[in-house]
Amino acid sequence: MDLEVRHLRALCAIADTGSLHRAARQLGVAQPSLSTQLKRIEQELGGPLFLRERTGCRPTPLGLVVLGRARPLVAEMRSLVAEARAAATDADGPQLRIGSTASRALAGWLRRLRARQHEPVLQMDVSPNALLRMLAAGRLDVAFVHEVEGSPLRVPDGLALRVLVDREPQFVSLPADHPAAARTEVRLTDLAGDRWMVDPTVDGEWDAVHRMLRAAGLRPRVLHGDYHTAASLVATGEVVTVCQPTCQPRPEMAVRRIQGDPLGVRLVLAARTEGELDLVFPELWEAYAEVARDAPGYGEWLNLVTA
């Protein structure tokens, strides 16, 4: 069997939803069909990609390797299709090619750009360095990326940078019924007995979390997994994980500031010219400020909440 994009998309769906049932519903296929497809993919790749557990499906070490390569390919194919469709239907002018790592500000940014008659095409990637390389190669017009403390971005020559937030403290998401969730700020020592989940494909994230935990004198068990999977495992009480301060809590998940703000990132917008930055930066700041105001415990930190 030859692997195709649809097979990679199925693997990503299983990892993102955490179960064959939810993945099948998302993909619009029957669960037995998806289960059979997964078995064939695993046979082709030489080993199990997911552990089937009572709480759902969790990627194996081999699965994490495959997912790390599959996600960019699926995203690239999605971008290719979106650009081709837009080019076929939109004759009004050139599009604005935006690259970004994950951010809740994206929706508001894109909405504001469209209001100014820009038609953005979005390319997502967990690697800010990969997006900067795409920008330097002319495949993107601007890139909104983050730089994890202790892991400087590898910025290609010739790019212009503008800082959106010099240091965004990272928060922690934990089960809503966790004892530490009763406080507005969580001490790392309160999480000493918990398993942590970190996405090792995010540039610098793995090293930064380990440094933070070691500095607090902690040696918890750390699992590998993307943050879609982490969110579902947090909700079921399996893990805790670092998250953006703009992350919205859910009934089964709490988002709390870490005492002392031991982990931070710098948010940066990059382009090839200052003029391109001027074109889109104000809308990005407005969108970011909007989601920051709505984030419990973070809007106040940025002094964005009006009386």
Side-chain angles (χ1 to χ4, degrees):
M1 170 181 110
D2 292 329
L3 284 182
E4 302 174 9
V5 174
R6 62 188 178 92
H7 298 136
L8 303 182
R9 190 178 295 115
L11 296 180
C12 292
I14 296 170
D16 290 345
T17 61
S19 82
L20 284 169
H21 175 71
R22 289 191 292 268
R25 187 167 54 188
Q26 177 179 302
L27 295 167
V29 300
Q31 182 176 335
S33 175
L34 180 60
S35 180
T36 299
Q37 186 179 82
L38 176 59
K39 290 178 182 177
R40 290 175 178 170
I41 295 171
E42 291 177 326
Q43 289 172 356
E44 176 70 17
L45 295 181
L49 302 179
F50 294 92
L51 295 175
R52 282 72 156 179
E53 300 176 331
R54 181 179 58 82
T55 56
C57 293
R58 180 164 57 88
T60 63
L62 175 60
L64 290 171
V65 171
V66 173
L67 287 164
R69 297 295 299 274
R71 290 191 187 283
L73 294 173
V74 171
E76 185 70 17
M77 180 57 69
R78 189 182 298 116
S79 177
L80 185 153
V81 171
E83 290 186 34
R85 287 175 175 170
T89 59
D90 185 5
D92 294 333
Q95 295 167 326
L96 183 63
R97 299 168 300 170
I98 293 175
S100 181
T101 50
S103 172
R104 288 195 65 245
L106 278 177
W109 189 26
L110 298 180
R111 184 177 68 249
R112 286 170 170 82
L113 291 174
R114 289 193 184 98
R116 288 188 51 200
Q117 306 305 309
H118 295 297
E119 185 53 42
V121 175
L122 184 62
Q123 169 72 55
M124 299 292 296
D125 201 301
V126 297
S127 169
N129 287 305
L131 291 170
L132 292 177
R133 290 193 297 270
M134 293 174 64
L135 177 62
R139 296 168 59 192
L140 296 172
D141 298 311
V142 295
F144 177 37
V145 298
H146 69 277
E147 179 181 64
V148 179
E149 282 181 336
S151 298
L153 291 172
R154 298 185 292 276
V155 182
D157 292 338
L159 295 186
L161 303 181
R162 191 166 299 175
V163 175
L164 180 77
V165 177
D166 192 58
R167 189 179 192 273
E168 179 192 74
Q170 299 301 279
F171 283 22
V172 63
S173 62
L174 63 163
D177 60 357
H178 193 292
R183 292 184 286 275
T184 57
E185 286 190 8
V186 173
R187 298 170 303 207
L188 286 175
T189 51
D190 295 333
L191 308 175
D194 293 282
R195 289 182 294 271
W196 288 70
M197 179 163 275
V198 179
D199 188 343
T201 65
V202 178
D203 296 339
E205 192 91 354
W206 172 260
D207 290 339
V209 171
H210 268 267
R211 284 194 300 271
M212 176 184 72
L213 295 174
R214 285 197 299 268
L218 303 182
R219 298 291 188 274
R221 184 182 177 193
V222 179
L223 309 181
H224 291 188
D226 64 90
Y227 285 109
H228 292 290
T229 302
S232 64
L233 293 181
V234 169
T236 58
E238 294 292 319
V239 301
V240 299
T241 187
V242 294
C243 65
Q244 297 173 4
T246 52
C247 180
Q248 285 293 305
R250 305 200 302 251
E252 68 278 13
M253 182 183 78
V255 175
R256 296 290 184 267
R257 185 178 175 184
I258 306 173
Q259 189 177 75
D261 300 325
L263 180 61
V265 304
R266 186 171 68 139
L267 303 182
V268 178
L269 185 66
R272 285 184 296 277
T273 68
E274 290 290 339
E276 289 171 307
L277 291 175
D278 292 337
L279 186 67
V280 297
F281 186 84
E283 287 77 14
L284 176 58
W285 171 250
E286 290 175 5
Y288 184 82
E290 180 179 59
V291 296
R293 289 190 188 101
D294 293 337
Y298 184 52
E300 296 89 343
W301 188 87
L302 283 178
N303 294 319
L304 292 173
V305 175
T306 57

